[in-house]
């Protein structure tokens, strides 16, 4: 969902080609009237907010040339985007079209502030059958008309340094146990090299791995009625397994507890301080920008333990598009969503934003490495599971992720975290979510 480069974006760079308020210019017909204008809030996907502006501007200009509909663009960093959207849902002063992290879809759907992609609206954007099913499944609560549709696909993979593995006589890991064993052989604190780097101070990264590791155990975080079940054994053991990379296995530098976004761990990998990092496929641009050549690293699915209940290697990550229900430019907004999710636009944006295709039969263009492209597309299409599609999903992310931040901080400062400690932390998170739902 969240681009690693986005997390590192300096919000002071804030780009605003438009006022923050919703667009009310032009008629509401969605036709090609020259004065019709949409306001679009885009999330940070490139190497900076300025980079996003450079990439998107010609794409939006082509839409205007084709339709006569102007687009006022504002690119918003991930540190601010969710708050801006939440404020817009309550104030009614939002844009026409907005990027959302797809894991927020059910929570934002519950605000009733967004246009449902019902039969007519879905037809207007090209129909549901054009999308990868796992991607479209992130659009809202199961069994409802989605209030968002996929725009950019992302998935986690395990990046490894080919030269380090070859020098140690190691093969890319296929199981959790093989990954830990390789990481231990490649860890040498005296030489300041480590087997892995973790974004252990990022609540969003931490909760993703809580979810993935628990899914590998066959566990769920909510029951069928949407009530939190955080303290189940599969969840507790999944979290502990991830924490143990720093605690018991000692393959991650304790200072990683201060890494509050994914870019910092990726930079350690790119500068060859660590042998492995788990990150989304948009890590490629940061890795290369830090001097590591494309042929120097490989990618395999994030491995599950031997005999795992499910071979889940990622959540279905990425960005979705939503239309605010109170837009005065509904038809124009639907035309814009159709344009942004057509095959040509997807290909144009797939390379600079290192995204995976959300359309069936589309080919990844974010890398020229055919093996890497196929690996990530297979993870996204067949080894990914959507984060909980419940209204309390945003609270799940915040409470569980921040609980893990605290547990990593305890480990980093010499403390010990047991399964009971994990369960207690998850019980506090569960109680917070239950009380507010």
């Amino acid at each position: 969902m969240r681009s690693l480069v986005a997390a590192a974006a300096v919000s002071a760079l804030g780009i605003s080609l438009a006022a923050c308020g919703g667009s009310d210019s032009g008629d509401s017909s969605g036709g090609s009237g020259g004065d019709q204008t949409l306001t679009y809030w885009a999330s940070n996907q490139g190497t900076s907010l300025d980079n996003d502006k450079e990439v998107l501007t010609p794409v939006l200009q082509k839409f205007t040339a084709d339709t006569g509909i102007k687009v006022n663009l504002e690119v918003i960093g991930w540190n601010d985007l969710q708050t801006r959207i939440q404020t817009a849902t309550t104030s009614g002063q939002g844009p026409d079209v907005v990027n959302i992290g797809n894991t927020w879809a059910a929570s934002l759907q519950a605000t009733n502030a967004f246009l449902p992609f019902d039969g007519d609206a879905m037809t207007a954007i090209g129909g549901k059958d054009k999308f990868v099913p796992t991607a479209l499944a992130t659009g809202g609560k199961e069994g409802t008309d989605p209030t968002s549709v996929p725009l950019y696909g992302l998935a986690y993979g395990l990046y490894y340094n080919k030269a380090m593995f070859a020098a140690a006589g190691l093969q890319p890991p296929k199981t959790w146990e093989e990954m830990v064993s390789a990481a231990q052989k490649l860890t040498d604190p005296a030489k300041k090299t480590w087997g892995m780097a973790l974004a252990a101070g990022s609540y969003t990264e931490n909760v993703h791995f809580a979810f993935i590791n628990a899914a590998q155990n066959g566990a769920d975080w909510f029951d069928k009625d949407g009530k939190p079940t955080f303290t189940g054994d599969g969840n507790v053991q999944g979290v502990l397994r991830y924490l143990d990379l720093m605690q018991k296995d000692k393959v991650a530098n304790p200072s990683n507890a201060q890494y509050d976004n994914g870019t910092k761990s990726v930079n350690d990998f790119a500068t060859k301080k660590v042998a492995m990092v788990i990150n989304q496929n948009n890590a490629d641009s940061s890795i290369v920008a830090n001097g590591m050549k494309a042929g120097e690293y490989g990618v395999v699915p994030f491995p599950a333990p031997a005999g795992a209940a499910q071979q889940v290697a990622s959540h279905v990550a990425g960005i979705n598009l939503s239309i605010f229900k109170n837009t005065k430019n509904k038809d124009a907004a639907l035309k814009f969503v159709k344009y942004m999710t057509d095959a040509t636009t997807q290909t144009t944006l797939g390379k600079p934003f290192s995204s995976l295709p959300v359309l069936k039969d589309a080919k990844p263009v974010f890398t020229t490495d055919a093996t890497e492209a196929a690996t990530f597309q297979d993870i996204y299409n067949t080894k990914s599971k959507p984060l909980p599609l419940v209204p309390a999903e945003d609270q799940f992310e915040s409470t569980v992720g921040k609980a893990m931040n605290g547990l990593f901080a305890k480990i980093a400062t010499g403390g010990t975290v047991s399964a009971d400690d994990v369960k207690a932390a998850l019980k506090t998170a569960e109680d917070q979510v239950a009380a507010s739902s």
Side-chain angles (χ1 to χ4, degrees):
M1 175 199 70
R2 291 147 178 93
S3 160
L4 66 99
V5 289
V10 180
S11 52
L13 291 175
I15 298 161
S16 180
L17 296 176
C20 297
S23 169
D24 60 1
S25 59
D27 60 40
S28 60
S29 68
S32 57
D35 64 345
Q36 189 171 25
T37 302
L38 294 172
T39 299
Y40 176 42
W41 286 359
S43 56
N44 177 208
Q45 297 300 309
T47 55
S48 68
L49 300 180
D50 275 326
N51 173 244
D52 280 79
K53 176 185 172 184
E54 292 167 6
V55 170
L56 286 170
T57 296
V59 174
L60 302 184
Q61 288 173 339
K62 183 178 186 303
F63 174 73
T64 300
D66 290 347
T67 64
I69 302 165
K70 297 176 184 176
V71 182
N72 282 340
L73 169 69
E74 183 176 0
V75 183
I76 303 174
W78 282 103
N79 291 339
D80 303 314
L81 183 60
Q82 190 171 22
T83 301
R84 291 281 300 276
I85 294 172
Q86 289 170 336
T87 300
T89 64
T90 54
S91 70
Q93 297 297 307
D96 298 286
V97 184
V98 63
N99 284 184
I100 68 167
N102 66 6
T103 65
W104 307 340
S107 300
L108 290 176
Q109 182 185 48
T111 68
N112 202 35
F114 296 93
L115 182 75
F117 287 92
D118 57 16
D120 289 342
M122 186 63 78
T123 299
I125 67 166
K128 67 180 182 180
D129 289 342
K130 74 179 186 178
F131 296 106
V132 173
T134 51
L136 188 60
T138 65
K141 185 178 178 181
E142 189 175 0
T144 66
D145 289 323
T147 50
S148 66
V149 293
L151 177 62
Y152 309 127
L154 295 166
Y156 279 104
L158 178 68
Y159 287 80
Y160 66 95
N161 183 306
K162 290 181 178 179
M164 289 184 181
F165 268 67
L170 297 168
Q171 296 296 316
K174 295 181 180 178
T175 65
W176 179 274
E177 293 82 3
E178 289 179 4
M179 181 185 77
V180 171
S181 176
Q184 287 173 329
K185 290 176 182 175
L186 294 165
T187 295
D188 188 347
K191 294 182 180 178
K192 297 183 179 179
T193 58
W194 296 83
M196 303 189 75
L198 309 175
S202 165
Y203 83 86
T204 55
E205 292 293 297
N206 279 334
V207 78
H208 294 165
F209 294 114
F211 175 80
I212 295 165
N213 280 277
Q216 293 171 346
N217 293 343
D220 291 309
W221 292 88
F222 292 85
D223 65 18
K224 59 181 177 59
D225 298 317
K227 294 180 180 178
T229 55
F230 296 177
T231 57
D233 189 59
N235 296 330
V236 172
Q237 292 301 321
V239 169
L240 184 61
R241 183 164 74 239
Y242 188 66
L243 295 171
D244 273 344
L245 291 172
M246 182 181 291
Q247 177 174 244
K248 185 182 74 174
D249 306 323
K250 300 186 186 302
V251 298
N253 191 332
S255 68
N256 286 180
Q258 299 176 51
Y259 281 13
D260 60 359
N261 64 69
T263 304
K264 295 177 180 179
S265 54
V266 168
N267 288 352
D268 280 356
F269 176 75
T271 53
K272 303 176 184 177
K273 296 174 184 175
V274 303
M276 287 180 277
V277 69
I278 313 156
N279 219 295
Q280 294 173 12
N281 53 282
N282 55 9
D284 281 32
S285 54
S286 285
I287 291 171
V288 174
N290 277 280
M292 195 176 196
K293 295 180 175 62
E296 293 182 306
Y297 62 85
V299 181
V300 293
F302 173 56
Q310 297 183 60
Q311 291 297 316
V312 177
S314 181
H315 72 284
V316 183
I319 312 304
N320 286 6
L321 274 176
S322 288
I323 298 172
F324 271 87
K325 188 185 287 185
N326 66 354
T327 177
K328 294 184 173 69
N329 301 296
K330 175 182 172 181
D331 291 347
L334 287 167
K335 286 184 178 181
F336 180 68
V337 170
K338 181 178 182 180
Y339 172 78
M340 292 296 286
T341 59
D342 74 22
T344 300
T345 308
Q346 286 280 298
T347 299
T348 299
L349 294 175
K351 186 171 180 61
F353 289 163
S354 296
S355 59
L356 293 168
V358 298
L359 304 179
K360 289 179 183 175
D361 303 322
K363 302 297 183 187
V365 295
F366 74 96
T367 177
T368 57
D369 184 326
T371 301
E372 180 188 6
T375 296
F376 271 118
Q377 197 66 56
D378 182 59
I379 293 168
Y380 184 72
N381 288 8
T382 71
K383 296 183 176 68
S384 297
K385 181 179 179 181
L387 281 168
L389 297 171
V390 297
E393 194 283 331
D394 56 345
Q395 296 167 301
F396 157 67
E397 289 199 33
S398 177
T399 58
V400 172
K402 289 174 182 176
M404 290 178 67
N405 285 8
L407 295 170
F408 267 124
K410 182 177 180 180
I411 292 166
T413 53
T416 301
V417 172
S418 67
D420 287 342
D421 294 327
V422 173
K423 187 171 185 177
L426 294 180
K427 181 67 167 70
T428 299
E430 180 180 277
D431 289 346
Q432 289 175 318
V433 173
S436 58
S437 60

